[in-house]
Amino acid sequence: MNPETSDTSLFKQVLSTILPSAKAEAAESEETKRDLQAKQAETTQSLKALETKQADVKAERQKARSAHVAAYKQLKGQAAQLKDLKQQTAALAPDKVMMPATGRLSQGYGPASGQFGYTFHNGLDIAANVGTPIYAAAAGTVTDVKSGGPYGKHVFIEHEIDGEKWTTVYAHMHKIEVKTGQTLLQGEGIGQIGNTGNSSGPHLHFEVHQGEYAYSSSSAGNTVDPMDVVEVLGGASPIKATY
Ligand SMILES: [Zn+2]
């Protein structure tokens, strides 16, 4: 055997065995490299997409934060407005007792000469034209409606104010527009000013009793000066009497 020949053939043999696999390996490595490059490109793209998304999220979050801040500011503004409105409403709230009619004070509350049969005038006289509307001085229930005697046509209304009973009387009316047992809101119309009973000209005689109605021709009895009650229990009256 020729060693050279045999060497060559062995080399060839080895070569023929290794070469294809080396070639294949080289090809494979090239393919892997391409794969890797492709993957790298893909990853870069994904990264870019992620960055874009992150920026979007950041912008979205910023937007949400701004919206939240704006909403909070608006809410704060609304709370302030609500507070103002509440104060305005409280200021506009009707008095506990208000003047029942607009007119001219023709006789005040207090001692009287006695020429009309009483030495104490336990109400206010509000002079106005016949037909001038009369309103309930406070929310309550009509306890009596009468059409004769010194008071002429008159109405009694019972009220509960801060847990206490009060009674108001409206006398010398021209027309009565309520019935006994009827419940009224403050300021609801009850009739018209007139000149019925012991009256020498159209006016409303208005009495305020602390508790039930009780009459005294010579003292205040349980009456109070309506002007004081309006002042004590109320404030500015929505129905202003012009005195
Ligand atoms: Zn009077």
Side-chain angles (χ1 to χ4, degrees), residues 107-108 118 121-126 172 203-207:
Q107 193 184 347
Y118 55 86
H121 187 231
N122 43 29
L124 283 185
D125 287 348
I126 301 166
H172 312 305
H203 76 282
L204 168 68
H205 172 85
F206 174 55
E207 291 177 15

Side-chain angles (χ1 to χ4, degrees), residues 5-110:
T5 312
S6 106
D7 275 358
T8 308
S9 81
L10 184 66
F11 176 72
K12 274 182 182 168
Q13 217 171 39
V14 168
L15 201 68
S16 71
T17 315
I18 290 172
L19 200 61
S21 81
K23 267 186 180 168
E25 243 171 69
E28 214 172 291
S29 131
E30 190 62 32
E31 204 177 317
T32 306
K33 199 176 151 190
R34 272 202 304 271
D35 275 0
L36 268 172
Q37 274 172 345
K39 253 186 192 143
Q40 205 169 28
E42 212 176 288
T43 305
T44 306
Q45 215 163 25
S46 295
L47 251 170
K48 268 188 187 158
L50 261 175
E51 273 170 7
T52 308
K53 217 171 218 175
Q54 213 165 27
D56 281 355
V57 167
K58 211 173 157 187
E60 212 50 54
R61 195 181 289 169
Q62 192 54 46
K63 221 162 97 181
R65 191 170 294 162
S66 301
H68 179 77
V69 168
Y72 178 72
K73 272 186 188 164
Q74 198 181 9
L75 191 72
K76 249 181 121 178
Q78 278 172 348
Q81 265 180 339
L82 190 69
K83 203 179 157 193
D84 280 357
L85 270 176
K86 273 186 182 167
Q87 280 171 346
Q88 280 173 28
T89 306
L92 284 174
D95 297 335
K96 289 174 182 174
V97 173
M98 69 181 208
M99 280 299 165
T102 305
R104 178 180 58 84
L105 180 68
S106 55
Q107 193 184 347
Y109 174 92

